């Protein structure tokens, strides 16, 4: 290991409680004892079945027929022929896209994030696309994937091995009745089981990934269960694998300092194993444990105002999806959902509604990993609109419906065809609030008043992230994000990578990648590892006053306290066209100060006196600044030494963009005023 990796481990140990140290130690000892199990050995059916008398071929046939006779999801109220006809009549393009996607999978062509991955012949489920190497088939405890030299592309490996494409193949069969899709699914499923014996290989190193596979297995199986490829013997292999996955998840839960969205996803996997596979011996235990953890963790991971404590909008959607799937499972197995969970879900949707300006315009604050809980559609251009549609149905909210996606494939799979009429009957209601505050989560959202060019800004005055790790937070205190007329203008730079390249990971999490202020070239919060923070900024909202004519926000963070420096930012907005940002840097000594404004790619001009104009198709932004100190103005794009002028519109993709830098090196105190004027106008880009 490198010196930095030892530093990461030491830091992690420092934040662990004695209880966590013991939990991890005992879990590791127990896991290593598994090595004595023969690699790839098959257990006897009676070992995992609730009724050992069914551990025979006749018993397996009985279990298969029982499973085939159960309708576990709302869409199963329609027959296969009715579903096929519905898609042919209502969504012909969706049907075509699903078939094309399945045909690619039959040819072993996969799209993983930004890469097309093809296999000639057998799929290598352990292939690292970033190193062009195969990860060895070792016991999972002998595969420290977090070490930079082992599997830098582990995210790509896990994404493929979530096996969410099984649902695509099964759905193609459901829509066409063509057995070739289940033939391919059956072959890949068998092959995966052979190449990934529990608990050996890179695909057993994360309990969350195991939990998500249970979900994929379940949906894929339900969509193709009437195919002649789903035999009694094959179903027993699936049951054994579900049992092994659930045992692995239950024995390696992400408790203590790892208890973020991973623990919720793991609990959901146990819920699935417990609710949808009652023939398994431990189903009742998994169900009880899964729901217990899930209900407990929602209140711990989501603020009462609906903001996810991890401070990431992408994972806000992940967790809402977890909740919805847990609700559907609870409804199936008559488990009562706590009222508090439903309240948190409704509040989560309120936050998304407040953030959304247009269907594709929800800023990706914090980490975004490009994954999903369940792949139900090839059309995923408006995921937050689908979330609001789900919430509109759950809570009968017209304000959610106003920004929601129209009735679509995802809603059919999750709620069934019978609720379409109810969805269409919800009357949209527009929210016209000039300012919405999310006090616990730490976001203030501002809008223009009626008649002005529509604008929506997000001011970040919240914490870094969840608890001691803050794994998915970014050093973005006092950042300002702005969209105009549904077009992102001042942007969050995104995520780009998790483990592939440390310098790029650090940049996209750093203060330099956000619309705030940097002192002496360092971040407000100290990055220790790719998912760890040391010293962290604490943010306070000092003032928030709102009138129809003007809003005034004042907030402060102490991320540079180790330098004896405090940063206060005041924002004035006339709710029409003018933003005034005052950055106040107080303390002692001489420091280099940079105010950074990251813009979506556009044409721009910078005059000698520092006036910067950025041109968009229907508007422009004009920046002017002044200070008692001498200011230097520069627009930077696509630099690598140091990194600046890059944004990541999706995971594993980076593109160049302009960044306006306003800087000075001076004795404190320093005041820097930046005025941003939004003007309508058509501009050639």
């Amino acid at each position: 290991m490198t010196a930095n990796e030892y530093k990461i481990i030491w830091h992690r140990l420092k934040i662990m409680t004695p209880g966590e140290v013991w939990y991890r130690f005992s879990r590791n000892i127990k896991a290593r004892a598994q090595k004595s199990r023969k690699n790839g050995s098959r257990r006897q059916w009676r070992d995992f079945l609730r009724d050992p008398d069914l551990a025979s071929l006749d018993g397996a046939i009985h279990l298969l027929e029982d499973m085939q006779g159960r309708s576990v999801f709302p869409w199963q109220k329609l027959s296969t022929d009715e579903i096929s006809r519905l898609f042919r009549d209502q969504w012909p393009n969706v049907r075509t896209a699903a078939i094309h996607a399945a045909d690619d999978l039959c040819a072993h062509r996969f799209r993983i994030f930004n890469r097309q991955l093809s296999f000639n012949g057998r799929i290598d489920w352990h292939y690292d696309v970033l190193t062009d190497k195969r990860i060895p088939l070792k016991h999972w405890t002998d595969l420290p994937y977090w070490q930079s030299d082992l599997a830098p592309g582990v995210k790509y490996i896990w994404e493929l091995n979530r096996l969410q494409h099984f649902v695509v193949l099964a759905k193609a069969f459901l829509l066409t009745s063509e057995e070739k899709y289940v033939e391919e699914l059956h072959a890949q499923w068998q092959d995966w089981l052979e190449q990934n014996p529990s608990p050996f290989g890179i695909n057993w190193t994360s309990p969350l990934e195991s939990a998500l596979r249970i979900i994929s297995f379940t949906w894929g199986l339900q969509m193709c269960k009437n195919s002649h490829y789903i035999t009694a013997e094959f179903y027993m292999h699936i049951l054994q694998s579900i049992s092994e996955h659930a045992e692995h998840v239950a024995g390696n839960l992400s408790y203590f300092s790892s208890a973020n969205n991973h623990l919720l996803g793991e609990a959901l996997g146990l819920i699935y194993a417990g609710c949808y596979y009652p023939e398994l011996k431990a189903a009742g235990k998994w169900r009880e444990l899964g729901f217990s953890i899930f209900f407990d963790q929602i209140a711990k991971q989501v603020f009462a105002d609906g903001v996810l404590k991890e401070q990431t909008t992408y994972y806000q959607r992940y967790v809402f999806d977890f909740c919805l799937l847990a609700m559907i499972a609870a409804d199936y197995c008559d488990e009562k959902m706590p009222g508090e969970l439903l309240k948190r879900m409704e509040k989560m949707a309120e936050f998304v509604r407040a953030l959304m300006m247009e269907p594709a315009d929800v800023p990706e604050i914090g980490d975004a990993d490009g994954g999903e809980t369940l792949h139900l559609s090839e059309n995923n251009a408006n995921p937050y609109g689908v979330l609001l549609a789900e919430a509109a149905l759950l809570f009968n909210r017209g304000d959610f419906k106003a920004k929601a996606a129209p009735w679509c494939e995802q809603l059919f799979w999750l709620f069934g065809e019978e609720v379409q009429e109810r969805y269409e009957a919800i009357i949209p209601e527009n929210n016209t609030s000039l300012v919405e505050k999310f006090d616990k989560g730490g976001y203030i959202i501002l809008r223009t008043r009626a008649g002005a060019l529509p604008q929506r800004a997000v001011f970040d005055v919240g914490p870094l992230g969840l608890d001691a790790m803050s794994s998915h937070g970014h050093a973005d205190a006092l950042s300002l994000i702005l969209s105009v007329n549904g077009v992102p203008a001042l942007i969050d730079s995104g995520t780009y990578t998790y483990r592939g390249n440390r310098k790029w990971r650090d940049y996209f999490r750093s203060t330099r990648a956000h619309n705030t202020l940097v002192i002496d070239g360092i971040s407000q919060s100290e990055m220790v590892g790719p998912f760890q923070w040391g010293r962290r900024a604490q943010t306070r909202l000092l003032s928030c006053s709102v009138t129809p004519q003007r809003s005034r926000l004042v907030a402060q963070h102490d991320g540079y306290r180790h330098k004896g420096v405090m940063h206060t930012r005041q924002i004035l907005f006339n709710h029409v066209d003018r933003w005034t940002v005052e950055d106040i840097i107080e303390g002692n000594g001489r420091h280099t100060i940079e105010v950074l404004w990251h813009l979506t790619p556009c044409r721009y001009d910078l005059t000698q006196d520092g006036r910067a104009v950025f041109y968009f198709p229907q508007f422009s932004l004009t920046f002017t600044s002044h200070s008692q100190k001498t200011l230097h103005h520069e627009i930077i794009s696509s630099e690598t030494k140091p990194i600046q002028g890059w944004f990541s519109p999706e995971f594993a993709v980076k593109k160049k963009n302009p960044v306006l830098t306003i800087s000075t090196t001076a004795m404190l105190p320093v005041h820097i005023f930046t005025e941003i004027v939004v003007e309508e106008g058509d501009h050639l880009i």
Side-chain angles (χ1 to χ4, degrees), residues 264-277:
L264 284 170
E266 292 155 13
L268 180 60
L270 294 177
I271 290 169
Y272 259 60
C275 288
Y276 296 126
Y277 303 94

Side-chain angles (χ1 to χ4, degrees), residues 37-323:
R37 183 193 301 176
K38 184 180 177 182
N39 190 339
S41 64
R42 289 265 183 211
R43 290 187 294 173
Q44 298 296 312
W45 292 354
R46 66 177 58 252
D47 294 338
F48 55 84
L49 290 178
R50 181 166 54 89
D51 184 352
D53 291 340
L54 294 176
S56 64
L57 183 56
D58 287 343
I61 293 172
H62 170 78
L63 291 173
L64 174 63
E65 291 174 346
D66 182 65
M67 182 274 294
Q68 290 172 328
R70 294 196 301 264
S71 294
V72 303
F73 295 127
W75 57 267
Q76 291 175 311
K77 293 177 181 178
L78 294 184
S79 69
T80 299
D81 288 342
E82 288 172 326
I83 293 171
S84 180
R85 186 163 53 251
L86 173 70
F87 274 74
R88 199 180 294 113
D89 295 343
Q90 190 166 343
W91 297 307
N93 293 337
V94 169
R95 181 180 184 274
T96 299
I99 293 170
H100 286 168
D103 288 339
D104 279 344
L105 296 171
C106 288
H108 294 181
R109 293 191 296 266
F110 303 88
R111 179 171 178 81
I112 310 295
F113 304 129
N114 64 324
R115 293 176 182 259
Q116 295 290 343
L117 184 60
S118 298
F119 295 95
N120 294 320
R122 193 178 192 187
I123 298 169
D124 186 348
W125 303 104
H126 307 264
Y127 175 67
D128 185 344
V129 66
L130 295 189
T131 60
D132 193 29
K133 293 180 180 178
R134 187 176 197 272
I135 308 302
L137 189 68
K138 296 181 178 180
H139 189 268
W140 72 272
T141 57
D142 293 328
L143 292 169
Y145 61 86
W146 57 87
Q147 292 182 11
S148 58
D149 59 343
L150 178 66
V154 68
K155 193 78 174 65
Y156 290 84
I157 301 173
W158 286 345
E159 192 68 21
L160 174 63
N161 285 273
R162 287 183 175 182
L163 303 180
Q164 292 171 340
H165 67 277
F166 281 12
V167 180
V168 179
L169 287 166
K171 184 173 70 173
F173 165 73
L174 192 63
L175 298 181
T176 67
S177 297
E178 293 187 27
E179 291 280 354
K180 68 176 184 179
Y181 295 115
V182 191
E183 179 183 12
E184 177 61 30
L185 172 56
H186 176 270
Q188 289 194 27
W189 210 328
Q190 287 277 41
D191 188 58
W192 193 92
L193 295 176
E194 291 174 11
Q195 289 198 49
N196 294 272
S198 171
F200 294 85
I202 192 72
N203 295 313
W204 293 95
T205 54
S206 166
L208 174 62
E209 301 303 317
S210 296
L212 293 176
R213 272 195 297 276
I214 296 174
I215 298 170
S216 298
F217 283 2
T218 304
W219 279 79
L221 178 64
Q222 287 298 319
M223 286 181 171
C224 72
K225 63 184 179 182
N226 293 318
S227 166
H228 68 257
Y229 282 97
I230 308 301
T231 64
E233 184 176 7
F234 181 57
Y235 183 52
M236 298 305 284
H237 290 168
I238 293 173
L239 288 177
Q240 174 174 339
S241 186
I242 294 289
S243 179
E244 290 170 345
H245 276 76
E247 287 174 359
H248 185 68
V249 171
N252 297 282
L253 289 161
S254 299
Y255 284 132
F256 298 101
S257 61
S258 295
N260 56 12
N261 70 86
H262 282 226
L263 185 56
L264 284 170
E266 292 155 13
L268 180 60
L270 294 177
I271 290 169
Y272 259 60
C275 288
Y276 296 126
Y277 303 94
E279 59 267 64
L280 293 177
K281 183 185 297 184
K285 179 182 70 174
W286 297 328
R287 171 180 158 175
E288 182 180 355
L289 178 61
F291 278 121
S292 174
I293 293 171
F294 201 93
F295 296 159
D296 175 68
Q297 284 295 312
I298 282 296
K300 292 179 178 178
Q301 296 196 32
V302 180
F303 286 113
D305 61 10
V307 177
L308 186 70
K309 293 183 181 182
E310 292 196 83
Q311 306 298 123
T312 146
T313 50
Y314 196 96
Y315 284 84
Q316 178 103 3
R317 177 159 57 90
Y318 252 133
V319 170
F320 189 91
D321 289 346
F322 289 165
C323 291

Side-chain angles (χ1 to χ4, degrees), residues 443-463:
Y443 295 100
I444 303 174
I445 297 169
L446 303 98
R447 300 183 187 86
T448 46
R449 60 177 179 259
L453 184 65
Q455 296 165 56
R456 184 234 51 224
V458 182
F459 187 37
D460 185 343
V461 296

Side-chain angles (χ1 to χ4, degrees), residues 396-433:
N396 195 32
R397 294 273 297 262
D399 56 338
F400 294 162
K401 177 72 178 295
K403 293 185 176 182
W407 179 259
C408 59
E409 176 186 12
Q410 295 96 316
L411 298 178
F412 165 74
W413 295 120
L414 293 166
F415 292 92
E417 186 262 349
E418 63 183 10
V419 304
Q420 180 177 359
E421 186 175 342
R422 179 162 65 85
Y423 181 69
E424 303 293 1
I426 299 173
I427 300 173
E429 300 172 7
N430 289 315
N431 182 293
T432 57
S433 302

Side-chain angles (χ1 to χ4, degrees), residues 320 342-343 345-346 349 390-397 400:
F320 189 91
L342 297 175
K343 288 179 184 177
M345 287 184 70
E346 188 171 7
E390 295 162 353
L393 274 168
L394 291 172
F395 306 109
N396 195 32
R397 294 273 297 262
F400 294 162

